[in-house]
Each structure stands twice: as C-alpha cells, then as structure tokens.
C-alpha cells in the first residue's frame, strides 16, 4: 500500500517532467485510484478534451494504463464496456531512475544501444522505424548499412530484455460473478468496502494483463537490407526490380512490425537485475566474497527462468553446473569445488535431489532488517538498536524483567513485546519517500536559483561567477548521489 508521501513524490515527478495540466490529471488518479473520463473531468474541473490530451501523454509515457470494465446494463439493455484510467505508481517512480538504467545499458552493451535506449526513455513508446529515423541524420537516412547497424543494436536491447513490445490490445475485465452483496441502493459501509476492494482487484488484474505473451514480448526477426522509409529491399548495390519485389511481398508483410509495433522500456528486467545486485551485495557484506561470487553465478544462470521480479527461491541447479558457472568468472577462477560447497552451506541453500536452491526472500528480508537497524541506531542510539535487533530476530513475543503491571493484590502481568514488520516497513518506506521528495525539491530549487550561471559559456565562468558555477556543480553532484543512495533503499522496501 502506498502512503501519502509516496503519492506526493510520484505527483511531483510528473509535475517536474510534464505540464501542470498533465500533473493535475495524474495527481487525481494517484489520489483517487482508477477513474473514468467523466469522473476525471468532474474531479479536475478541466474540459474533457484537455483531460483526453493529458491522458494520451501519460499513456504514451507508460504512466497511466487504460482498460475496459464490463458493466451490467439496465432492464432490457445489453452489458456495456466502460474505459477506466489508472496511474502506474511504480512506472512513475522509475522516472527518477532513468540515469541508473542508462548506466546499466552502457556498461553491458555499447554506445549505440545506449543512444537507442535513451530515445525510448525520452519518448515512452516508439516503433523501430521511428528509432531508426531518430538515430540517423536526415541526409544519411537512406543508407542501408546505417539502418542495419541500428537494427543490430536494437536486437541487442531486445535480447537483453531491456526493451519489450507494447501490447496491441486493451485489457478487458468482465463482470465478476455474483457474490450475494446487497444492491447499490441499500449498500452500507461493509458492502462499500467490498466494492472498493473489487475496484482495486480490477486495477491489479488490468496491470497484470497489460503485456504481450512471453513468446511475442521479445520475439523479433530483423528485416535486414530493407530501406525503412521506402520499403525497398537492397541486394548488393542495386534495389530489387518491381517484378522481383512482388515475390518478396509476403516476406515484407511479415516485417511490417518495424512500422506498426511499438516498443517500451522493460522496467521489470532492470528491477530484477538491481534486486539480484542487492542480494549479492548483502551476502558479501554479511558473509564473504566467496559466497557473493557463488550467489552471483547462480543468479546469472537462473535469471531468464524467473517468472516474476519478486522470485522467492531460485530454480534448482546441480553442484557441477554452479561450479562451472563460478570458474567461468574472473573472480571465481581461484575457487575450488570444496570452496563452492562451503559457500552453498553459508547461503543456507535448500537441497532437493542433489540440486541447490537459494532463498532470495530471506536474503532481502535480512537486508531490510539491517537497513532498519541502521535507522534505529542513528535516530535512537545503540541501546535502542540492540533492543530492536533482538526483537526483530527473535520473531515472537518477548517479555521484560522490569516492566510489570499490577492488576490486583495477588496478580501481576508482564509486558510482552514484538516487532510487527509489515506496518513498520510501510512507515519506513513512507519516510523514505518523504526524504526523497524533499531532496528532489531542494535540488530543483538550487538549480533554478542558479539557472543563469549554469548556462554561462565557459569563457565567462571567471572570478565570482566561476565560484558560483563550481558551487552549484558540486551541489548537484552531491544531491544526485544522495538521491541515488536513498532510491536504493526505497527499492529495497518497495520493489524487491
């Protein structure tokens, strides 16, 4: 559940990246949940056409999902479908991670892939044709070799699952089965709560449905040797003749996806890789480098088999497979089989039919506990941290020797204590959202104050102006670094 500070942070990111009208529409969806167009128009007090335009912008940038819900018709009327719009909170927060995602692409792939990926981040959804024409200067857009180079780079992004095909359908939620609830006219507080839960369930169903099947999601067959603008296929140095071109009509029709299919950033893959990185970092800090190396090898091997981001336990791997993957890495070449076995014991792997599985959920929970312990120690001191650590790791009610409540002349009751993690985690996450909001707003304020200084040409940055420029440069680097570290903690509690 997202609390108020999380909503404020998401809303501020939209206001920062888009116009005020777009921010107003998105803020309404974040606060009120999924709404129809008439409801949005009423709540925002904006003209219907303006609301439509704002929704188109938000949908283009993957910040809002539109889906249809089947409604019962009146007497003698057919059921009808009503379009709802829901804000995608996670996708909105990912906007402040674009630099982090771009760095990951640059480190794993190459400069061309980075530039293509940057175009998708800036524009939300693009076809391959649009990406090609955007990447190649207009005088060279007819150059087939350059076009094929872009196709090859795009293929690398798809193969790495960093981008995915957008679904060409709108999620549709049918009428739920009758559950015996009271009619709308007699609906009380209890039935109203049930209705709210049903609306939430419909939104979750729509989000789950809003992706292509696994086979089509990353399936492409590159149309090499074809001019993206004219559609003519090139063999050697000459275009195919009209007669020969007819023979290729069936092939070309299969490649219309370059013009028609839209592509977007696959946030799930980035979150999955960052989650794996967090697990490895936690294991290295809690155990040792060897255990971290073995876990990294396991995660690299089983990543493609994961069906969801928050996978609780890895797929089974044999000891020989794990060992081979470990020694294939530079940091694992000095490890022998016995060292790998020791690391697997340290990781408390589950052994099933001579195959090993790692409990990722337990590793993430340990990392979350360590983060909260650090917060408690900084805020309340070492003794409070020791008390929290004991209660959180015990996991059950614990009594104290001195806290006694007298309930009668002969009776005494001891006070029992326990850490209830779920509500505590929500409070911690909400405070992190609040801190990120304040930091983001302060950075925007500082940059706005020195807007003219930041745009000065290099030769004019001398004397006092040079000192001001250097100051705002350091402030920007410091705040961006702090925000990135804070975002790592936010992802630990919200995305992992």
């Amino acid at each position: 559940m997202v609390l108020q500070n999380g909503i404020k942070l998401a809303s501020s990111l939209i206001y920062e990246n888009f116009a005020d009208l777009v921010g107003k529409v998105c803020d309404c969806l974040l606060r009120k949940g999924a709404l129809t167009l008439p409801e949005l128009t009423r709540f925002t007090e904006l003209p219907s056409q303006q609301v439509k335009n704002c929704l188109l912008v938000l949908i283009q940038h993957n910040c809002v999902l539109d889906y249809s819900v089947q409604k019962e018709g009146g007497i003698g009327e057919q059921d009808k479908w009503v379009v709802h719009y829901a804000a995608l909170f996670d996708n909105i927060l990912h906007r402040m991670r674009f630099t982090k995602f771009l760095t990951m692409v640059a480190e794993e792939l190459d400069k061309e892939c980075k530039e293509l990926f940057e175009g998708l981040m800036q524009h939300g959804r693009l076809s391959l044709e649009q990406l090609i024409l955007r990447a190649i200067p207009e005088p060279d857009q007819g150059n087939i070799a350059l076009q094929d180079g872009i196709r090859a780079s795009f293929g690398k992004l798809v193969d790495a699952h960093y981008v995915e095909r957008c679904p060409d359908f709108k999620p549709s939620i049918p009428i739920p089965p009758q559950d015996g609830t009271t009619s709308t006219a007699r609906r009380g507080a209890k039935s109203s709560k049930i209705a709210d839960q049903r609306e939430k369930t419909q939104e979750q169903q729509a989000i789950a449905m809003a992706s292509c099947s696994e086979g089509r999601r990353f399936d492409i067959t590159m149309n090499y040797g074809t001019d993206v603008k004219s559609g003519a296929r090139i063999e050697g140095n000459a275009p195919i003749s009209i007669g020969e071109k007819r023979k290729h009509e069936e092939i070309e029709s299969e490649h219309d996806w370059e013009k028609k299919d839209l592509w977007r950033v696959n946030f799930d893959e980035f979150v999955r890789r960052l989650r794996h990185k967090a697990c490895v970092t936690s294991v290295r800090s809690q155990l040792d480098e060897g255990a971290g190396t073995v876990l990294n090898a396991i995660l690299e091997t089983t990543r493609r088999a994961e069906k969801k981001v928050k996978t609780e336990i890895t797929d089974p791997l044999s000891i020989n497979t794990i060992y081979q993957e470990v020694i294939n890495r530079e940091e694992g070449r000095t490890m022998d089989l016995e060292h790998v076995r020791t690391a697997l014991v340290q990781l408390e792997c589950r052994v099933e039919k001579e195959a090993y599985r790692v409990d990722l959920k337990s590793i993430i929970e340990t990392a979350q506990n360590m983060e909260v312990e650090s917060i408690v120690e900084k805020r309340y001191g070492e003794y409070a941290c020791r008390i929290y650590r004991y209660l959180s790791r015990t996991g059950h009610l614990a009594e104290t020797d001195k806290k006694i409540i007298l309930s009668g002349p002969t009776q005494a009751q001891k006070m029992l204590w326990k850490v209830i993690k779920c509500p505590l985690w929500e409070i911690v996450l909400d405070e992190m959202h609040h801190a990120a909001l304040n930091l983001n707003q302060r950075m925007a304020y500082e940059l706005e104050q020195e807007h003219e200084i930041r745009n000065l040409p290099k030769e004019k940055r001398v004397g006092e102006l040079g000192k001001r420029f250097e100051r705002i440069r350091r402030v920007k680097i410091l705040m961006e670094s702090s925000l990135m570290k804070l975002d790592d903690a936010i992802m630990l509690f919200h995305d992992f």
Side-chain angles (χ1 to χ4, degrees), residues 68 92-93 114 139 148 162 183 222 270 308 329 345 389:
S68 298
I92 295 172
L93 251 59
K114 176 187 173 184
D148 284 351
Y162 284 145
S183 64
M222 286 300 176
F270 287 96
K308 58 182 181 178
R329 287 163 171 75
V345 172
R389 184 184 297 119

Side-chain angles (χ1 to χ4, degrees), residues 8-28:
K8 290 178 182 178
L9 174 60
S11 182
S12 72
L13 291 171
I14 296 297
Y15 274 104
E16 179 183 329
N17 286 272
F18 303 101
D20 288 347
L21 291 179
V22 177
K24 186 174 185 179
V25 170
C26 191
D27 182 73
C28 182

Side-chain angles (χ1 to χ4, degrees), residues 366-386:
T366 300
Q368 291 171 336
N369 267 324
M370 295 297 294
E371 186 69 29
V372 176
E373 286 177 16
S374 175
I375 295 172
V376 171
E377 184 174 14
K378 289 178 182 177
R379 187 174 297 182
Y380 303 108
E382 181 183 353
Y383 290 122
C385 180
R386 288 168 60 184

Side-chain angles (χ1 to χ4, degrees), residues 67-78:
Y67 61 96
S68 298
V69 177
Q70 191 177 16
K71 298 293 184 181
E72 293 183 358
I75 300 175
E77 297 179 353
Q78 293 184 343

Side-chain angles (χ1 to χ4, degrees), residues 205-224:
Q205 286 178 345
I207 293 173
M209 294 166 62
S211 62
C212 296
S213 62
E214 197 65 26
R216 178 169 165 74
R217 193 178 177 189
F218 307 106
D219 180 40
I220 55 171
T221 303
M222 286 300 176
N223 195 15
Y224 290 112

Side-chain angles (χ1 to χ4, degrees), residues 305-320:
E306 292 186 3
K307 302 299 182 184
K308 58 182 181 178
V309 173
K310 295 184 180 181
T311 299
E312 295 186 1
I313 188 167
T314 62
D315 277 13
L317 292 176
S318 67
I319 183 67
N320 291 332

